[in-house]
Amino acid sequence: MLNFELYNPVNYIFGKGQTEKLTNLVPKDAKILVAYGGGSIFKNGVYNQVTTALKDFDLIEFGGIEPNPRFETLIKAVQIIREQKITFILAVGGGSVIDGVKFISAAVNFEGDATEILKKRILFTDVTKVIPFGTVLTLPATGSEMNSGAVVTIGATQEKLTLGGSALFPKFSIVDPTVIVSLPKRQLQNGVIDAFTHVMEQYMTYKHDALLQDRLAESILQTLIEVGPSVVENPSDYKLASNFVWSATMALNGLIQKGVPSDWATHMIGHELTALYEIDHARTLAIIGPNLYRVLFETKKEKLAQYGQRVWKLTGDSTDVIARQAIEKTVEFFHTMGMKTKLSENTENYKETADFIVNRFEERGWLALGEKQNITLEKVREIVEMSY
Ligand code: NZQ
Ligand code: ZN
């Protein structure tokens, strides 16, 4: 097992009716910016729950954080916080709103051009330099409610880039599984596949000695396979909803990645597809992931076979056979979950995509990705072209 440090200060508050606790979670005398997205919180009652719980606080609202949040939108909130002397931010929404708030929190005291936070991947480790924030999660998928990472798009250059650092964990996150009832089916499907792929990125590498992490990863995958197809049909079933939501958090709260190699290349390539074509984040992962396993078959086949045997209960004559079947099982599952796994099924203008992505990665110096740093630009091209 590799050495690791486990640090996660998020006060994670799970279950029905927990939003009431907001009153005692935000700091006394806080001046709060309540940040939200396109307005779903007004229709599903979450806005009322939040404002009722915070009725004695000084609130300023900032709406309009879009899916795949834009730098250009977030920077307006940064200005408001500076002018209004806001001391706490509450993100009410899905991954986009929470990620947006992480960026806002970091940018308020950042001197200079705030796009550099993204372009230079500046790490935020000093809690005194950021604005503290909490979250009320409305969409299980990203794990952003319990991690310190975020993804923000610079609209002007169509770049989807990451930021993070230990200062950017939420102070608390309220996670009430009943909020998923109002989610469109497409977003429920996305949530399951995003969480599934998060586990795969930290698991589908090579065989190693971290036995517990493997079992934890496999158990999350198995839970998502068990509840995923039913929860999208029946999100008001609390057993299904609560297991889905907790699995999505566990998939990316840092625990399963401790002491193990990881490979975030599916996400890195997928982010480009969203930046270029606005394809939903999870759907880009369903397009790229299986082809990445195919192209990197020799590197990953031992682990693919373990996954096939343990998660899909496959039996077969050889590692190669089980590993190949495991990839096909994954694609089948993605189809069951409503994913279209070819790029051409998601956008019409895809023919230049591989060139574009390879050039971009080259410009950024991303010449070798993956747990063995053997996903070269040529391999990236092969994966993307195979995905057409
Ligand atoms: O904006 P509103 O009106 O709230 O509507 C949203 C949005 O249209 C809607 N929605 C959310 N909760 C709802 C709801 N509609 C009805 N009922 C509810 N309870 O769903 C739509 C999508 O929301 P969004 O927040 O964009 O989805 P998601 O949570 O999947 O977040 C995706 C973003 O997170 C990033 C992605 O790249 C993408 O930008 N990621 C963040 C990660 C992290 N911080 O660790 C990791 C992930 O890999 C991912 O990259
Ligand atoms: Zn993701």
Side-chain angles (χ1 to χ4, degrees):
M1 202 184 298
L2 306 173
N3 292 356
F4 65 86
E5 288 185 19
L6 176 58
Y7 173 75
N8 193 316
V10 180
N11 183 6
Y12 185 85
I13 299 154
F14 182 93
K16 286 179 199 175
Q18 296 283 39
T19 312
E20 289 173 8
K21 292 193 178 154
L22 264 178
T23 323
N24 299 318
L25 290 166
V26 295
K28 299 278 165 267
D29 306 323
K31 185 165 182 187
I32 305 170
L33 187 82
V34 178
Y36 58 88
S40 67
I41 61 164
F42 294 107
K43 293 183 203 136
N44 59 14
V46 174
Y47 175 83
N48 280 344
Q49 290 169 20
V50 167
T51 47
T52 305
L54 296 181
K55 64 179 177 345
D56 296 328
F57 287 82
D58 190 357
L59 304 182
I60 290 186
E61 293 178 15
F62 182 81
I65 299 178
E66 55 279 89
N68 310 307
R70 295 293 190 276
F71 166 80
E72 288 83 353
T73 305
L74 305 172
I75 206 73
K76 293 179 192 157
V78 171
Q79 204 48 41
I80 294 172
I81 291 181
R82 287 177 183 155
E83 284 165 13
Q84 304 278 340
K85 310 258 181 292
I86 301 282
T87 58
F88 194 85
I89 317 173
L90 185 68
V92 187
S96 292
V97 172
I98 299 175
D99 282 11
V101 164
K102 288 177 182 173
F103 178 84
I104 296 166
S105 158
V108 171
N109 295 320
F110 184 78
E111 286 166 19
D113 175 2
T115 61
E116 290 193 351
I117 293 174
L118 302 162
K119 290 185 175 163
K120 295 191 176 163
R121 282 194 182 196
I122 291 169
L123 215 57
F124 290 83
T125 53
D126 183 349
V127 286
T128 65
K129 299 264 164 62
V130 305
I131 305 294
F133 63 95
T135 87
V136 176
L137 182 74
T138 64
L139 196 173
T142 62
S144 191
E145 68 280 7
M146 203 176 175
N147 68 41
S148 60
V151 195
V152 169
T153 300
I154 304 176
T157 51
Q158 274 187 307
E159 289 176 284
K160 194 168 185 201
L161 298 167
T162 56
L163 77 146
S166 59
L168 292 179
F169 282 102
K171 292 284 174 218
F172 61 80
S173 282
I174 294 186
V175 182
D176 177 346
T178 65
V179 297
I180 75 164
V181 173
S182 60
L183 275 167
K185 188 171 177 184
R186 182 183 182 88
Q187 296 299 343
L188 289 161
Q189 293 169 329
N190 287 352
V192 173
I193 299 309
D194 192 20
F196 191 91
T197 309
H198 293 156
V199 179
M200 292 294 264
E201 300 270 40
Q202 301 162 90
Y203 168 80
M204 192 46 68
T205 55
Y206 48 81
K207 284 210 174 190
H208 52 63
D209 295 337
L211 306 181
L212 177 61
Q213 286 90 323
D214 267 3
R215 300 280 187 198
L216 289 170
E218 288 153 1
S219 66
I220 300 169
L221 295 173
Q222 285 174 306
T223 309
L224 289 167
I225 291 165
E226 184 175 337
V227 304
S230 324
V231 80
V232 302
E233 299 303 333
N234 202 357
S236 56
D237 180 319
Y238 192 71
K239 179 178 168 187
L240 296 172
S242 52
N243 282 289
F244 164 36
V245 172
W246 179 222
S247 294
T249 298
M250 283 293 288
L252 198 51
N253 65 0
L255 185 62
I256 63 171
Q257 88 183 18
K258 298 302 168 194
V260 303
S262 57
D263 168 12
W264 286 96
T266 299
H267 269 69
M268 292 166 94
I269 302 172
H271 285 164
E272 297 304 318
L273 299 182
T274 303
L276 281 171
Y277 308 122
E278 289 280 333
I279 302 171
D280 296 355
H281 170 64
R283 284 163 201 267
T284 69
L285 309 175
I287 296 166
I288 297 298
N291 291 318
L292 187 142
Y293 311 144
R294 290 182 178 118
V295 171
L296 274 296
F297 189 77
E298 285 306 315
T299 308
K300 295 184 184 282
K301 68 182 182 186
E302 303 288 335
K303 201 62 182 281
L304 277 163
Q306 175 183 317
Y307 158 73
Q309 284 166 325
R310 292 192 186 173
V311 174
W312 293 107
K313 310 293 175 214
L314 297 173
T315 52
D317 293 338
S318 68
T319 298
D320 281 44
V321 170
I322 301 172
R324 295 251 178 239
Q325 284 175 355
I327 298 174
E328 295 323 309
K329 276 283 184 191
T330 309
V331 175
E332 252 176 60
F333 176 59
F334 288 176
H335 289 161
T336 307
M337 294 305 305
M339 301 290 122
K340 292 184 175 147
T341 50
K342 288 195 175 76
L343 186 54
S344 53
E345 295 171 312
N346 291 271
T347 179
E348 283 174 9
N349 308 312
Y350 57 88
K351 297 230 167 72
E352 312 291 321
T353 312
D355 281 342
F356 185 90
I357 294 179
V358 166
N359 287 339
R360 229 178 201 182
F361 282 13
E362 197 165 14
E363 278 164 26
R364 291 183 192 149
W366 297 1
L367 306 180
L369 311 175
E371 72 277 10
K372 293 202 163 157
Q373 296 283 287
N374 64 350
I375 309 186
T376 57
L377 294 180
E378 265 326 294
K379 290 260 187 324
V380 170
R381 176 182 301 283
E382 210 180 324
I383 293 162
V384 176
E385 286 180 349
M386 197 180 271
S387 305
Y388 285 178

